[in-house]
Amino acid sequence: MLTFNQNGIYCAQADVYIDPWKPVDNAIITHAHSDHARWGMKKYLAHIHAAPVMRYRLGQDIEVQTADYNEPVTINGVKISLHPAGHIWGSAQVRLEYKGEIWVVSGDYKLGEDGISVPFEPMRCHHFITESTFGLPVYNFPDPATVHHDINDWWRKNREEGKNSVILGYALGKAQRTHKHLDPSIGNIYTHGAVDNINKLYEAAIEPLPVARRIDSSINPKDIKGDIIIAPPSAENTPWLRKLQPYKLGICSGWMQLRGTRRRRGADRGFVLSDHADWGQLNTAIKETGAEHIYVTHGYKSVYAKWLQDAYGLNATEVETLYTGEQLDEPETTGGEDAGI
Amino acid sequence: MRAFSELFTHIDQTTSTNEKIDALADYFEHADPRDAIWCVALLTGKTPRRTIKSGELRDWCAETSGTPVWLLEESYHVVGDLAETISLLLKGSDGETSHTLHEVINSLIALENKTDDQRKAYITGMWRQLSQQELFVFNKLITGGFRMGVSDKITIKALAKRYSIDENIVAHRLTGNWQANETLLDTLMSATHDAADISRPYPFYLAYALETAPEELGDVKDWQIERKMDGIRGQIIVRDHQLFVWSRGEDLLTEKFIEFEPLAKLLPSGTVIDGEIIPAKDENFLPFHVMQTRIGRKNVTKKSLTEAPLVMVCYDLLEHDGVDIRHLSLMQRRELLVQLIETVKEKEANIPLWLSPVLICQNWEEVAAQRLKSREYNCEGLMLKRKDSEYKTGRRRGDWWKWKVDPLSIDGVLIYGQRGHGRRADLYTDFTFAVWDGDELVPFAKAYSGLTDKELLEVDRWIKKHTTDKFGPVRSVTPELVFEIGFEGINASSRHKSGVALRFPRILRWRKDKPAKEANTKADLIDILHVYGGL
Ligand SMILES: [Zn+2]
Ligand SMILES: [Zn+2]
């Protein structure tokens, strides 16, 4: 039912693309990260919580139809529904059913709770399209509760030493997740403009986050002492960040699992906190779908597809896409919002 | 093991030098003294002999963790460090263990004489007991190369802090022949130890590369100018009528350099000379690679003794009549060195000690002209030393500078990228470059250093988008990017398709201005070979 062409993942029967990377007429969007939700589609279909971020990043004038999880729409006989992917708030797996054949496009996903998104829901299907960002057995992520605890401890220690704590994480998803688990009794929380903009959308759609202040021109950086600042990766090595000295730098990413990557990034601390499935979660998720046919996209595609063939006897193939997955160094496209002072 | 693993994690989680020093000093004070001395040994590169092969570790890890070997290999390519890969594939235990560092190291050493079954049983048994944090440290102890992101300088500073003694004294006490199993840190750091080891060299004083125009160093008359030899930096020590030859890497190489044997009788006891060990014949220096073949061999052959006899070009005198004279000025030390060598030459004209010639220059232009002649002397450039400088410890700025000749260079086309290791494991950072031979590209050099981090990321992304083929960790790419490759020397080589082998190739810059067609050719390389090739 689905094919892969130069524009993206295509369903000819319903004439829709899922997460297309070239402008098309009809696009279903798994989530609002910039490599999945791109500019230029005539019509978008997305989850109710993804739509505000898409409007904010792609333009208020885009045409978006929204749906909640488990709320099917039927297009030319194809029953299409969104289901929680647990990746970020508003992220969805797209389920398509036609004449008894079921496909699931999972976009990006992770298992387990993160406090800000509806947890991943396993879907039975025949064909499953999976990412493989962390598709190697060396990626076994620690319990996120421990990591959030470590972040607070780190903040407390830095504060005792008279230093600020700067946390770098994607503005959409990672930032809210980190923010939500901070302990405001330690000190003040500040946000970079790019983070604050997304936080406001989150608070309008879902719930309030712990009190934080946006660092804008009304704030004197000298008044920030022993506090924590949440900023996107693109803020690194900018004059904006230098004004917050002295500080310690922490990076939240699954890539921080590897010592070499941690050291290359030159952060003071790497926190292994990922919005993508680790090795164990990928395997669990795929087994639970019961699917015979697995299409492996962005990540360790070839290795992971071979593993699925060898270990579980599945018909797994790698698929070339333009999704970039979690990037450590490339600044995320944030749609030109004001970055603050 | 736990305290040591915690120390490691603490150091690994900070980029602050002071924090590292404090953590180490604290460990030296509170750890089991038998562990503390091992910690210093590991940090200064005195790692115990390896008793387990990588292949064995891979097989046992694959079996214990239920990972197919091919998947383990793929993981290793990404992680870049076998010890780390294994510790990530095995799940650490939650239980508490009470193994001490020295006990674990000694058990590993003892495995050398055990059966394969016993070796495997010990390693996999430990894997099951250790926590995630300890697993990595344990595997690092097996595979060696445990540097923990701590330089010798930091170790020395931490010891100086712990024992409240001067850094130079710490550095000196750390050199020499001590064994972690035969001494304790307190003993090593005590004054009584100083007299005990007669083979002990002094820490080498190393120069930084000149960063400014030489004129900025002031009056040329305040500087001693020498050629920078291309050999093995070493110290010749005669104490108690015994000879010891040390290399800068702190290997005792006395047996390899039998030419120096007569010096035990010729030099007065209580002499330490710093210099460069070089092959030389009929008053001429030979290229470095002539000696390399000889160092690698177990026994020195007659043939190599006649083909590449070694001499020491003497730079400095560190100990005179049994007295440490490093605090004297370079002028004073040089005078004593000249006297010493002259006296010895009167006894025996043919000794393998040559004074490093001092170049007489009236101004910096003359110095610059001398520098340009470096290759004629098989030298790397010049050494500039302040005449009133004392002999310091380690790499220091200010009094000594090396002013190297610009490397030879050639423009090559990037044809393969390979994933890096260690801290660059997720990037394509190891490159192979080619020159044109007609319409064909022939690889001539591999290089990985020389680009900025930003450029590395850019090339990495480019490689990922322009891959034409993949084999293992290597990708071949469309031949488009041109880089200027610098190197220190060139030799004919029948093993390489290009016909040449380069010494120390590295990337000088990315020639974004040049299309691939305009890169250099194999004929250009052969030209350079004829002009600069050794022998
Ligand atoms: Zn995403
Ligand atoms: Zn993605």
Side-chain angles (χ1 to χ4, degrees):
Chain A
M1 179 179 13
L2 296 191
T3 52
F4 302 90
N5 66 28
Q6 72 281 5
N7 298 327
I9 305 169
Y10 184 53
C11 173
Q13 179 64 30
D15 188 28
V16 292
Y17 282 88
I18 295 113
D19 292 353
W21 47 83
K22 294 257 175 65
V24 297
D25 289 347
N26 299 303
I28 304 174
I29 301 299
T30 60
H31 66 289
H33 273 150
S34 52
D35 56 324
H36 291 261
R38 294 181 190 246
W39 182 85
M41 317 300 158
K42 274 207 184 116
K43 285 183 190 157
Y44 294 88
L45 172 66
H47 186 259
I48 40 170
H49 290 152
V53 184
M54 288 166 58
R55 284 204 189 88
Y56 165 68
R57 290 186 160 180
L58 304 175
Q60 294 298 331
D61 54 345
I62 58 170
E63 196 183 325
V64 196
Q65 181 192 342
T66 59
D68 203 343
Y69 297 127
N70 288 302
E71 202 180 81
V73 290
T74 304
I75 306 174
N76 198 23
V78 185
K79 187 176 145 200
I80 300 173
S81 50
L82 304 180
H83 303 269
H87 173 53
I88 56 170
W89 47 288
S91 68
Q93 308 177 69
V94 181
R95 179 184 184 278
L96 302 98
E97 181 177 349
Y98 182 65
K99 292 188 175 165
E101 184 179 291
I102 304 168
W103 287 65
V104 170
V105 184
S106 56
D108 293 340
Y109 65 93
K110 70 170 177 288
L111 277 51
E113 301 233 8
D114 65 7
I116 61 157
S117 36
V118 182
F120 179 89
E121 190 182 296
M123 308 293 304
R124 302 290 293 181
C125 58
H126 305 105
H127 299 261
F128 186 66
I129 302 177
T130 182
E131 58 145 321
S132 59
T133 309
F134 294 109
L136 281 181
V138 290
Y139 296 107
N140 289 295
F141 298 145
D143 176 11
T146 333
V147 181
H148 291 301
H149 188 84
D150 288 349
I151 294 176
N152 282 319
D153 280 351
W154 175 74
W155 178 15
R156 214 172 276 120
K157 181 167 167 281
N158 294 340
R159 187 180 170 88
E160 278 163 19
E161 292 169 9
K163 288 179 178 140
N164 285 321
S165 305
V166 175
I167 281 278
L168 297 184
Y170 272 9
L172 173 57
K174 198 70 68 66
Q176 292 78 46
R177 179 185 186 187
T178 315
H179 191 154
K180 163 130 189 191
H181 293 93
L182 291 176
D183 177 357
S185 72
I186 301 173
N188 298 319
I189 304 171
Y190 286 90
T191 52
H192 182 279
V195 168
D196 182 55
N197 291 341
I198 305 284
N199 280 4
K200 289 208 172 84
L201 298 173
Y202 176 84
E203 292 184 319
I206 299 174
E207 57 165 8
L209 289 164
V211 176
R213 288 191 66 184
R214 177 191 180 111
I215 303 182
D216 56 23
S217 50
S218 73
I219 291 194
N220 181 354
K222 293 208 169 55
D223 296 337
I224 305 179
K225 263 206 185 105
D227 296 329
I228 198 160
I229 299 99
I230 307 173
S234 56
E236 205 183 352
N237 298 320
T238 59
W240 181 88
L241 194 55
R242 278 192 285 278
K243 285 185 195 152
L244 300 169
Q245 268 163 349
Y247 62 79
K248 292 261 179 178
L249 189 70
I251 295 181
C252 293
S253 166
W255 297 114
M256 293 295 126
Q257 175 106 64
L258 299 190
R259 185 165 176 253
T261 322
R262 273 199 310 271
R263 291 160 68 90
R264 183 168 59 73
R265 288 301 269 97
D268 296 299
R269 269 298 283 276
F271 296 103
V272 185
L273 192 68
S274 174
D275 286 328
H276 294 266
D278 68 4
W279 174 255
Q281 294 177 13
L282 286 171
N283 291 331
T284 306
I286 286 163
K287 276 184 277 183
E288 285 187 354
T289 64
E292 279 290 309
H293 307 279
I294 311 294
Y295 308 87
V296 184
T297 67
H298 57 321
Y300 297 102
K301 293 193 294 278
S302 55
V303 176
Y304 192 58
K306 180 166 155 61
W307 160 257
L308 291 177
Q309 294 158 11
D310 283 14
Y312 308 127
L314 295 171
N315 176 21
T317 43
E318 43 174 321
V319 179
E320 209 59 53
T321 64
L322 288 191
Y323 311 132
T324 49
E326 179 160 342
Q327 299 264 307
L328 199 50
D329 299 293
E330 208 161 5
E332 172 190 24
T333 322
T334 42
E337 62 251 66
D338 170 26
I341 50 168
Chain B
M1 273 288 271
R2 201 178 335 133
F4 184 67
S5 306
E6 276 164 14
L7 168 72
F8 169 76
T9 308
H10 190 158
I11 288 174
D12 203 42
Q13 282 180 353
T14 179
T15 48
S16 150
T17 304
N18 283 335
E19 217 170 292
K20 288 180 186 179
I21 292 170
D22 290 349
L24 280 170
D26 189 66
Y27 178 82
F28 294 148
E29 188 170 346
H30 296 108
D32 179 324
R34 290 164 300 178
D35 287 354
I37 185 74
W38 265 115
C39 175
V40 173
L42 294 171
L43 290 175
T44 51
K46 284 188 185 295
T47 34
R49 190 128 72 97
R50 194 162 167 175
T51 52
I52 307 281
K53 293 192 214 73
S54 297
E56 293 176 310
L57 285 178
R58 282 173 217 227
D59 291 347
W60 301 341
C61 170
E63 192 187 315
T64 311
S65 67
T67 313
V69 173
W70 70 266
L71 189 55
L72 190 148
E73 290 292 338
E74 290 285 352
S75 301
Y76 169 56
H77 275 304
V78 169
V79 177
D81 179 287
L82 185 62
E84 186 182 358
T85 309
I86 292 175
S87 53
L88 290 170
L89 290 174
L90 302 162
K91 313 262 171 332
S93 138
D94 298 329
E96 300 251 305
T97 57
S98 53
H99 304 282
T100 60
L101 178 65
H102 70 277
E103 175 217 317
V104 168
I105 293 175
N106 284 319
S107 303
L108 287 173
I109 294 172
L111 289 182
E112 185 159 21
N113 306 313
K114 297 277 167 65
T115 65
D116 285 358
D117 285 346
Q118 286 171 319
R119 287 142 49 82
K120 180 177 172 186
Y122 174 76
I123 300 291
T124 53
M126 288 295 280
W127 279 347
R128 272 187 282 273
Q129 293 172 44
L130 298 174
S131 70
Q132 190 71 46
Q133 200 181 38
E134 290 171 319
L135 266 179
F136 176 65
V137 170
F138 178 69
N139 291 334
K140 270 298 203 192
L141 291 175
I142 301 172
T143 59
F146 202 170
R147 302 294 295 180
M148 310 186 13
V150 172
S151 65
D152 285 357
K153 231 179 215 172
I154 292 180
T155 309
I156 289 168
K157 284 203 158 111
L159 285 167
K161 182 175 176 193
R162 158 70 182 94
Y163 289 95
S164 311
I165 43 179
D166 185 74
E167 286 173 34
N168 283 328
I169 297 173
V170 171
H172 190 200
R173 286 176 183 163
L174 280 179
T175 60
N177 246 342
W178 59 274
Q179 301 291 329
N181 267 344
E182 290 163 8
T183 186
L184 295 176
L185 194 51
D186 288 351
T187 320
L188 187 67
M189 286 297 125
S190 70
T192 47
H193 168 74
D194 288 351
D197 179 5
I198 61 161
S199 78
R200 196 135 54 103
Y202 292 96
F204 285 86
Y205 181 8
L206 306 170
Y208 273 100
L210 187 64
E211 294 150 337
T212 56
E215 296 80 34
E216 288 178 33
L217 298 178
D219 192 339
V220 75
K221 301 215 161 43
D222 296 337
W223 293 83
Q224 175 168 309
I225 321 281
E226 294 168 76
R227 295 216 181 274
K228 184 178 186 321
M229 302 294 163
D230 185 13
I232 295 178
R233 179 92 179 269
Q235 279 178 37
I236 286 182
I237 297 173
V238 175
R239 288 187 190 123
D240 273 357
H241 308 287
Q242 290 179 59
L243 172 82
F244 307 94
V245 183
W246 288 90
S247 77
R248 203 192 101 190
E250 294 210 358
D251 292 315
L252 192 51
L253 296 173
T254 318
E255 268 82 57
K256 299 243 170 189
F257 301 136
I258 52 178
E259 288 92 338
F260 299 137
E261 261 171 25
L263 295 176
K265 296 212 172 59
L266 290 166
L267 287 172
S269 268
T271 300
V272 179
I273 301 172
D274 173 13
E276 195 93 8
I277 297 164
I278 298 192
K281 209 176 179 186
D282 310 327
E283 315 239 316
N284 287 317
F285 299 127
L286 304 175
F288 182 72
H289 67 92
V290 176
M291 174 165 61
Q292 262 177 328
T293 36
R294 168 171 161 183
I295 302 287
R297 295 219 181 91
K298 246 206 173 113
N299 299 309
V300 184
T301 60
K302 265 237 166 71
K303 187 167 165 262
S304 66
L305 267 180
T306 43
E307 271 181 5
L310 300 180
V311 299
M312 174 179 263
V313 178
C314 305
Y315 293 141
D316 217 323
L317 187 63
L318 311 185
E319 187 173 310
H320 183 56
D321 283 341
V323 181
D324 175 357
I325 58 163
R326 292 177 295 160
H327 60 282
L328 297 183
S329 73
L330 174 60
M331 291 300 292
Q332 291 168 304
R333 296 198 309 272
R334 170 90 189 176
E335 219 175 286
L336 292 169
L337 176 68
V338 173
Q339 276 172 19
L340 174 74
I341 297 208
E342 278 171 3
T343 326
V344 180
K345 287 224 163 171
E346 275 164 24
K347 281 191 262 176
E348 167 67 61
N350 242 342
I351 55 161
L353 295 179
W354 298 8
L355 260 178
S356 163
V358 169
L359 307 180
I360 309 297
C361 298
Q362 301 305 325
N363 49 48
W364 288 110
E365 285 78 57
E366 287 181 28
V367 179
Q370 285 290 354
R371 169 170 163 266
L372 292 179
K373 288 192 197 157
S374 297
R375 286 199 207 285
E376 292 170 30
Y377 294 88
N378 277 315
C379 288
E380 295 180 305
L382 300 179
M383 285 297 305
L384 316 178
K385 299 174 182 170
R386 206 183 278 281
K387 285 181 180 168
D388 61 6
S389 61
E390 54 179 48
Y391 191 94
K392 294 184 178 147
T393 296
R395 205 174 286 287
R396 300 294 169 114
R397 273 168 220 281
D399 286 341
W400 286 20
W401 297 103
K402 53 184 179 195
W403 192 19
K404 297 226 245 174
V405 278
D406 292 327
L408 300 161
S409 79
I410 194 139
D411 290 336
V413 183
L414 175 68
I415 54 167
Y416 306 129
Q418 185 172 351
R419 276 200 211 110
H421 276 265
R423 64 184 199 107
R424 295 196 159 135
D426 54 344
L427 292 177
Y428 285 86
T429 56
D430 295 11
F431 309 124
T432 302
F433 299 96
V435 284
W436 293 105
D437 184 14
D439 304 337
E440 219 191 309
L441 280 165
V442 262
F444 71 98
K446 269 189 164 188
Y448 51 92
S449 63
L451 293 178
T452 65
D453 278 3
K454 202 173 150 246
E455 284 172 327
L456 268 181
L457 292 173
E458 203 180 333
V459 177
D460 172 71
R461 274 197 296 271
W462 187 92
I463 288 177
K464 285 170 184 160
K465 282 194 192 117
H466 295 83
T467 302
T468 54
D469 204 1
K470 286 188 219 174
F471 27 102
V474 179
R475 290 182 177 215
S476 63
V477 296
T478 45
E480 282 177 38
L481 304 190
V482 178
F483 293 84
E484 185 180 346
I485 309 302
F487 49 96
E488 299 293 341
I490 183 167
N491 287 296
S493 162
S494 50
R495 282 190 304 120
H496 295 85
K497 235 181 151 186
S498 60
V500 300
L502 303 185
R503 197 156 167 245
F504 297 134
R506 62 191 180 279
I507 303 166
L508 294 181
R509 64 193 165 122
W510 184 352
R511 297 293 310 253
K512 289 187 175 174
D513 54 321
K514 266 203 176 177
K517 270 278 149 235
E518 285 173 27
N520 282 104
T521 63
K522 185 175 165 183
D524 297 334
L525 267 180
I526 303 294
D527 281 348
I528 300 181
L529 175 68
H530 289 148
V531 181
Y532 297 105
L535 292 184

Short mmCIF file of all heavy atoms in Angstrom, two decimals, chain B residues 77-96:
data_model
loop_
_atom_site.label_atom_id
_atom_site.label_comp_id
_atom_site.label_asym_id
_atom_site.label_seq_id
_atom_site.Cartn_x
_atom_site.Cartn_y
_atom_site.Cartn_z
N HIS B 77 33.28 -0.39 15.67
CA HIS B 77 33.62 0.66 14.71
C HIS B 77 33.03 2.00 15.11
O HIS B 77 33.62 3.04 14.88
CB HIS B 77 33.13 0.30 13.31
CG HIS B 77 34.10 -0.56 12.58
ND1 HIS B 77 35.40 -0.17 12.38
CD2 HIS B 77 33.98 -1.78 12.02
CE1 HIS B 77 36.03 -1.12 11.73
NE2 HIS B 77 35.19 -2.10 11.50
N VAL B 78 31.83 1.94 15.69
CA VAL B 78 31.18 3.19 16.07
C VAL B 78 31.75 3.74 17.37
O VAL B 78 32.02 4.93 17.50
CB VAL B 78 29.65 2.97 16.20
CG1 VAL B 78 28.98 4.17 16.85
CG2 VAL B 78 29.05 2.70 14.82
N VAL B 79 31.96 2.85 18.34
CA VAL B 79 32.44 3.30 19.65
C VAL B 79 33.92 3.69 19.56
O VAL B 79 34.34 4.68 20.14
CB VAL B 79 32.22 2.21 20.71
CG1 VAL B 79 32.78 2.65 22.06
CG2 VAL B 79 30.75 1.87 20.83
N GLY B 80 34.69 2.89 18.83
CA GLY B 80 36.09 3.23 18.63
C GLY B 80 37.02 2.76 19.73
O GLY B 80 38.21 2.99 19.67
N ASP B 81 36.48 2.12 20.75
CA ASP B 81 37.32 1.66 21.86
C ASP B 81 36.76 0.31 22.31
O ASP B 81 35.59 0.22 22.67
CB ASP B 81 37.25 2.70 22.99
CG ASP B 81 38.07 2.31 24.19
OD1 ASP B 81 37.68 1.39 24.93
OD2 ASP B 81 39.13 2.92 24.39
N LEU B 82 37.61 -0.71 22.25
CA LEU B 82 37.12 -2.06 22.53
C LEU B 82 36.66 -2.20 23.98
O LEU B 82 35.61 -2.79 24.25
CB LEU B 82 38.20 -3.10 22.19
CG LEU B 82 37.75 -4.55 22.33
CD1 LEU B 82 36.62 -4.88 21.38
CD2 LEU B 82 38.92 -5.50 22.11
N ALA B 83 37.44 -1.64 24.89
CA ALA B 83 37.08 -1.76 26.30
C ALA B 83 35.71 -1.14 26.55
O ALA B 83 34.88 -1.71 27.27
CB ALA B 83 38.13 -1.06 27.17
N GLU B 84 35.46 0.00 25.95
CA GLU B 84 34.17 0.67 26.15
C GLU B 84 33.05 -0.13 25.49
O GLU B 84 31.97 -0.30 26.06
CB GLU B 84 34.21 2.09 25.60
CG GLU B 84 32.94 2.86 25.92
CD GLU B 84 32.92 4.27 25.33
OE1 GLU B 84 33.92 4.67 24.71
OE2 GLU B 84 31.90 4.94 25.50
N THR B 85 33.30 -0.60 24.26
CA THR B 85 32.29 -1.38 23.55
C THR B 85 31.84 -2.55 24.41
O THR B 85 30.64 -2.79 24.60
CB THR B 85 32.86 -1.92 22.23
OG1 THR B 85 33.46 -0.84 21.51
CG2 THR B 85 31.78 -2.56 21.38
N ILE B 86 32.82 -3.27 24.96
CA ILE B 86 32.48 -4.46 25.74
C ILE B 86 31.70 -4.07 26.99
O ILE B 86 30.70 -4.70 27.33
CB ILE B 86 33.77 -5.23 26.10
CG1 ILE B 86 34.36 -5.83 24.83
CG2 ILE B 86 33.48 -6.31 27.13
CD1 ILE B 86 35.69 -6.50 25.03
N SER B 87 32.11 -2.98 27.65
CA SER B 87 31.39 -2.63 28.87
C SER B 87 29.97 -2.18 28.57
O SER B 87 29.08 -2.33 29.40
CB SER B 87 32.15 -1.59 29.69
OG SER B 87 32.47 -0.49 28.90
N LEU B 88 29.73 -1.65 27.36
CA LEU B 88 28.35 -1.25 27.01
C LEU B 88 27.51 -2.47 26.62
O LEU B 88 26.29 -2.47 26.78
CB LEU B 88 28.37 -0.23 25.86
CG LEU B 88 28.90 1.16 26.22
CD1 LEU B 88 29.09 2.00 24.97
CD2 LEU B 88 27.97 1.86 27.19
N LEU B 89 28.15 -3.48 26.06
CA LEU B 89 27.39 -4.66 25.64
C LEU B 89 27.03 -5.57 26.82
O LEU B 89 26.01 -6.23 26.82
CB LEU B 89 28.17 -5.46 24.59
CG LEU B 89 28.30 -4.79 23.23
CD1 LEU B 89 29.21 -5.59 22.31
CD2 LEU B 89 26.93 -4.63 22.58
N LEU B 90 27.91 -5.57 27.84
CA LEU B 90 27.62 -6.36 29.03
C LEU B 90 26.83 -5.47 29.97
O LEU B 90 27.12 -4.30 30.07
CB LEU B 90 28.93 -6.75 29.71
CG LEU B 90 29.94 -7.54 28.88
CD1 LEU B 90 31.30 -7.45 29.53
CD2 LEU B 90 29.49 -8.98 28.75
N LYS B 91 25.87 -6.00 30.63
CA LYS B 91 25.15 -5.16 31.58
C LYS B 91 25.86 -5.27 32.93
O LYS B 91 26.12 -6.36 33.40
CB LYS B 91 23.70 -5.60 31.70
CG LYS B 91 23.03 -5.84 30.36
CD LYS B 91 22.21 -4.66 29.91
CE LYS B 91 21.70 -4.74 28.48
NZ LYS B 91 22.45 -5.50 27.50
N GLY B 92 26.16 -4.16 33.54
CA GLY B 92 26.82 -4.17 34.84
C GLY B 92 25.93 -4.78 35.90
O GLY B 92 24.71 -4.76 35.80
N SER B 93 26.59 -5.31 36.95
CA SER B 93 25.83 -5.92 38.03
C SER B 93 25.48 -4.86 39.07
O SER B 93 26.14 -3.82 39.17
CB SER B 93 26.67 -7.04 38.63
OG SER B 93 26.59 -7.02 40.03
N ASP B 94 24.43 -5.12 39.85
CA ASP B 94 24.04 -4.16 40.89
C ASP B 94 24.76 -4.41 42.19
O ASP B 94 24.79 -3.57 43.07
CB ASP B 94 22.52 -4.24 41.16
CG ASP B 94 21.73 -3.87 39.91
OD1 ASP B 94 22.24 -3.05 39.13
OD2 ASP B 94 20.63 -4.41 39.72
N GLY B 95 25.31 -5.62 42.31
CA GLY B 95 25.92 -6.01 43.58
C GLY B 95 27.18 -5.22 43.89
O GLY B 95 27.72 -4.50 43.07
N GLU B 96 27.65 -5.34 45.13
CA GLU B 96 28.85 -4.66 45.56
C GLU B 96 30.01 -5.65 45.50
O GLU B 96 29.88 -6.80 45.88
CB GLU B 96 28.69 -4.19 47.01
CG GLU B 96 27.55 -3.23 47.21
CD GLU B 96 28.04 -1.83 47.50
OE1 GLU B 96 28.83 -1.67 48.45
OE2 GLU B 96 27.66 -0.90 46.76
#
